[in-house]
Amino acid sequence: MRDGRELDLILLGATGFVGRLTAGYLAGHAPPGLRIGLAGRSEKRLAAVRDGLGAAAQTWPLLAADSTEPGSARSLARMAGAIATTVGPYRRLGLPLAQACAEAGTDYADLTGEVLFIRDTVAGCQQAAARTGARIVHSCGFDSVPSDLGVLLTHDAAAADGAGDLEDTTLVLTAMRGGVSGGTLASALGQIDDMRASASNRRIVTDPYALSPDRAAEPALGDERELSSVRSDPDLQLWTGPFIMAGFNTRIVRRSNALQGWAYGRQFRYREVTGFGSGPAAPVRALAVTAELTALMAGVALRPSRALLRPVLPKPGEGPGEKARRTGFFRLQVHARTATGAPYMTRVEAPGDPGYAATAVMLGESALCLTLDRDRLPDRAGVLTPATAMGTVLTNRLRSASHTYETARISPP
């Protein structure tokens, strides 16, 4: 914790859907005495959130603030050692706060899944954060903690065995149950609109190395576009289809590799897919799910069809109900082969709706990690990823919160 700051941690966006869930998680898991503030536009709505958090949170101060206004953002950043924010779409609403945290030396965590926003923060925050020691950590939820930590652990296991660099590495989503909130949808639609408005934006978002700190130094490894159709994968021995988050998560993981001096390897080829099994029904399921996903993405990408869908889509502040959040889950595997041919598999699983219940745990533990574990974190500052900012310290926190991270060298099939 930071000396000389009024608070240890501020949660901004506490009245939003994921913000309320994260506030609830912190109320139940933050250690006694941690000075936490709840921030948002309306003090009245913040008070209503705090009233529902139980006795542990009743002394938490309420901070009425507009994070899009630079002066308000600076006041928040100077007040606390760390800020976690759920206020999106981040490209439209988030840059003043990230810049204020970078200038104040305040650690920062968010839930962005927006490539263009991270490009903006690298341009606008990297130098200041490196100077002040601030960790600006993006994507601390289902985007992209499981991917980022899963690959990091796979690398660490191979390195400990002396098995060589990672080469062909694939994340397979094997099972998931969850819903969509209005805030997540708004962020996705914002990036779609930015891409439609600019050919330059489209080139950036579709570049597999869009988030590399040194694009020119990245290796040329052939076609690294995301899977867009159904295929039988002979190496994985299952049918695969597109994973909706692959276009973002893969950029985060590649940034982690580059920020660590390409520690995973210069021939590190990374992709993410959805797995549908190997039985006779697998290709049918794969085709059906892929068709539904394609239709949905086309529907929200085009303004006329988006207008027709809007009445049935969740609005900001809305999301899955309590039962859906409680009964949700995700399971994924990271399969890797090293330069020596050694195969590894990392299993990542968590209970709760991935984008909401599980994400509240991931963001809450990321915030606590930045607040309480500074002396044990990697010695890095700047615009970072979960793996490069917090690494195995965050992994261990998540394991204690009933998330599974297990890595093993496996026998070839």
Side-chain angles (χ1 to χ4, degrees):
M1 295 184 287
R2 308 283 187 91
D3 293 332
R5 304 272 176 130
E6 183 178 339
L7 295 171
D8 301 310
L9 171 64
I10 290 173
L11 174 64
L12 176 66
T15 61
F17 190 77
V18 180
R20 294 194 303 271
L21 298 177
T22 306
Y25 184 80
L26 290 172
H29 296 84
L34 193 68
R35 300 170 300 167
I36 298 176
L38 301 178
R41 290 176 180 269
S42 166
E43 188 170 342
K44 181 178 180 180
R45 292 178 62 198
L46 288 169
V49 171
R50 186 180 62 181
D51 288 346
L53 296 179
Q58 295 312 302
T59 59
W60 291 359
L62 306 178
L63 309 168
D66 180 355
S67 62
T68 66
E69 197 282 310
S72 184
R74 285 193 294 270
S75 295
L76 283 180
R78 292 168 181 165
M79 189 179 299
I83 295 179
T85 173
T86 66
V87 179
Y90 288 92
R91 193 171 195 228
R92 182 163 62 86
L93 302 174
L95 189 58
L97 179 65
Q99 290 175 322
C101 287
E103 291 286 350
T106 300
D107 289 343
Y108 163 103
D110 69 23
L111 296 174
T112 190
E114 302 165 50
V115 169
L116 295 171
F117 173 64
I118 298 178
R119 295 270 298 202
D120 292 344
T121 62
V122 170
C125 304
Q126 174 62 33
Q127 290 186 354
R131 182 182 73 250
T132 64
R135 294 176 174 91
I136 307 300
V137 192
H138 295 301
S139 311
C140 295
F142 192 46
D143 282 338
S144 301
V145 166
S147 305
D148 210 25
L149 296 185
V151 173
L152 175 68
L153 292 183
T154 308
H155 159 263
D156 288 351
D161 292 344
D165 292 343
L166 301 185
E167 293 193 346
D168 291 313
T169 304
T170 302
L171 179 146
V172 182
L173 178 72
T174 59
M176 183 176 75
R177 180 188 297 147
V180 178
S181 79
T184 298
L185 184 62
S187 290
L189 295 179
Q191 179 156 283
I192 289 171
D193 290 343
D194 286 342
M195 291 174 66
R196 289 174 59 86
S198 163
S200 174
N201 286 345
R202 288 195 296 275
R203 285 193 296 271
I204 290 170
V205 173
T206 56
D207 179 0
Y209 294 96
L211 298 182
S212 173
D214 189 350
R215 180 63 181 89
E218 292 291 353
L221 301 177
D223 186 358
E224 294 190 82
R225 289 175 297 179
E226 281 68 56
L227 182 65
S228 60
S229 60
V230 172
R231 59 167 291 202
S232 176
D233 191 304
D235 294 325
L236 297 171
Q237 297 187 350
L238 50 75
W239 285 86
T240 61
F243 179 30
I244 192 171
M245 293 162 53
F248 181 75
N249 290 341
T250 54
R251 277 75 172 152
I252 291 289
V253 172
R254 292 184 188 116
R255 179 171 176 82
S256 292
N257 186 32
L259 286 174
Q260 297 173 91
W262 292 275
Y264 302 162
R266 297 292 294 178
Q267 299 299 309
F268 174 66
R269 291 180 291 271
Y270 182 65
R271 62 190 180 126
E272 296 191 348
V273 301
T274 300
F276 293 94
S278 58
V284 178
R285 289 199 307 273
L287 287 167
V289 171
T290 300
E292 290 175 3
L293 176 61
T294 301
L296 174 63
M297 295 306 296
V300 298
L302 300 174
R303 290 188 182 277
S305 54
R306 185 189 301 180
L308 294 173
L309 289 170
R310 193 173 296 280
V312 299
L313 295 174
K315 300 175 177 60
E318 298 177 348
E322 189 278 332
K323 181 179 179 181
R325 298 196 304 269
R326 177 170 42 83
T327 59
F329 64 91
F330 72 86
R331 296 195 288 267
L332 59 85
Q333 298 173 349
V334 177
H335 293 263
R337 189 169 298 275
T338 72
T340 64
Y344 285 80
M345 194 270 280
T346 297
R347 186 167 61 93
V348 182
E349 301 179 359
D353 183 294
Y356 306 101
T359 281
V361 175
M362 289 183 250
L363 180 61
E365 289 296 346
S366 294
L368 293 174
C369 189
L370 292 171
T371 303
L372 299 171
D373 301 329
R374 287 183 57 82
D375 293 343
R376 299 191 294 125
L377 298 182
D379 186 17
R380 295 189 182 94
V383 180
L384 303 172
T385 61
T388 56
M390 297 173 282
T392 55
V393 181
L394 177 59
T395 305
N396 290 333
R397 278 189 164 274
L398 292 172
R399 284 171 173 151
S400 297
S402 299
H403 287 207
T404 298
Y405 286 85
E406 295 181 351
T407 302
R409 183 167 177 166
I410 60 176
S411 300

